Amino acid sequence: MRTTPARRTALAAAVAGAAVVALAGPAAAHVTVQPGSVPQGGYTAVAFRVPDESDTASTVKLEVSLPMDHPMASVRIQPLPGWTAVLEKSKLDKPLNAHGKDITEAVSKITWTADAGTKIAPGQFQEFRVSLGAMPTDTDKLTFKALQTYDNGEVVRWIEEAKEGQPEPAKPAPVLTLTKAAAAASAAPAADHHASQDASGDQAAAKADDSTARTLGVVGIVVGVIGAALGVAGLRRKSGPAS
């Protein structure tokens, strides 16, 4: 049976769509840090999102290394039922000053281990939340290398760093982008300004519509009065010869 051009086009589209889905699937399953970006200089809460990529094994451990080239004075984990978290600290070559105090060591690694009966099963994911701060102001990103351990003993190392101009690595490390605080702050007034302009425009449009409606109403009344007057005059002319 011959294939018509329309059928060939539909078949090609279906194959292309399947290829896109197949390529997008693994990329979306990386260990990531959410949200992807936060302002510099502040304190924030992030979540390390861990999907289970195995068809048969479950995730039972996550290790996240914090960047010691940009250490943070405050690192706090949010309790997660079924998981035990351990924070490891390392000595700093240069003390951090936080709220007038010198910090000589900082958290360098967080390890979450599943309790008995707890796991991230195939087809599932889990988020591990952490409060961090203060964010550094001398870099535009932080890289968190992570190790994901399965209950069959397999360890997936999410430690590869992306390089400009090259394809994304197979096992990229989670990256948190840092944005300029001033830029983030100026976005709100700009948005308010545009909103004010939009509101003014809406008010002007509403006034114009109201004025137009009133004008049309007056014109309608005048036309009605003129029509009534003409009707009366016509009746009078018809009744004149009969008298």
Side-chain angles (χ1 to χ4, degrees):
M1 182 177 63
R2 294 184 177 179
T3 304
T4 64
R7 288 182 178 177
R8 286 198 297 269
T9 301
L11 179 60
V15 172
V20 170
V21 171
L23 291 174
H30 295 340
V31 172
T32 59
V33 57
Q34 304 293 330
S37 64
V38 297
Q40 294 178 341
Y43 290 77
T44 188
V46 300
F48 293 97
R49 182 174 297 170
V50 182
D52 190 279
E53 295 184 312
S54 174
D55 294 329
T56 56
S58 299
T59 300
V60 293
K61 187 177 181 181
L62 174 69
E63 301 167 73
V64 175
S65 295
L66 278 64
M68 294 309 290
D69 54 343
H70 291 92
M72 282 162 283
S74 176
V75 178
R76 303 175 187 272
I77 57 100
Q78 179 171 303
L80 181 62
W83 295 80
T84 299
V86 175
L87 280 66
E88 298 180 24
K89 292 186 176 182
S90 297
K91 291 289 184 179
L92 299 177
D93 295 333
K94 181 180 179 181
L96 281 175
N97 186 277
H99 306 292
K101 296 182 179 180
D102 285 337
I103 308 296
T104 58
E105 60 180 12
V107 175
S108 57
K109 183 179 180 181
I110 308 174
T111 301
W112 287 271
T113 304
D115 298 338
T118 301
K119 59 185 177 181
I120 308 174
Q124 298 179 349
F125 77 94
Q126 182 61 265
E127 290 188 341
F128 301 83
R129 296 186 61 81
V130 183
S131 173
L132 302 172
M135 293 291 112
T137 57
D138 58 347
T139 183
D140 59 0
K141 68 177 181 179
L142 293 176
T143 300
F144 300 87
K145 296 183 178 182
L147 302 182
Q148 179 181 9
T149 302
Y150 289 87
D151 58 5
N152 63 357
E154 179 186 2
V155 177
V156 180
R157 302 170 62 83
W158 301 97
I159 63 173
E160 300 177 41
E161 298 188 43
K163 296 181 180 180
E164 188 175 354
Q166 295 186 11
E168 182 184 48
K171 303 295 180 184
V175 174
L176 180 64
T177 300
L178 303 181
T179 59
K180 295 292 184 182
S186 63
D192 293 341
H193 175 68
H194 290 307
S196 176
Q197 286 185 329
D198 292 341
S200 299
D202 292 341
Q203 292 176 357
K207 290 181 180 179
D209 291 342
D210 184 60
S211 298
T212 301
R214 290 183 181 180
T215 301
L216 292 175
V218 172
V219 171
I221 293 173
V222 172
V223 171
V225 171
I226 294 175
L230 291 175
V232 171
L235 290 174
R236 286 180 178 177
R237 282 196 292 270
K238 288 182 180 180
S239 60
S243 58

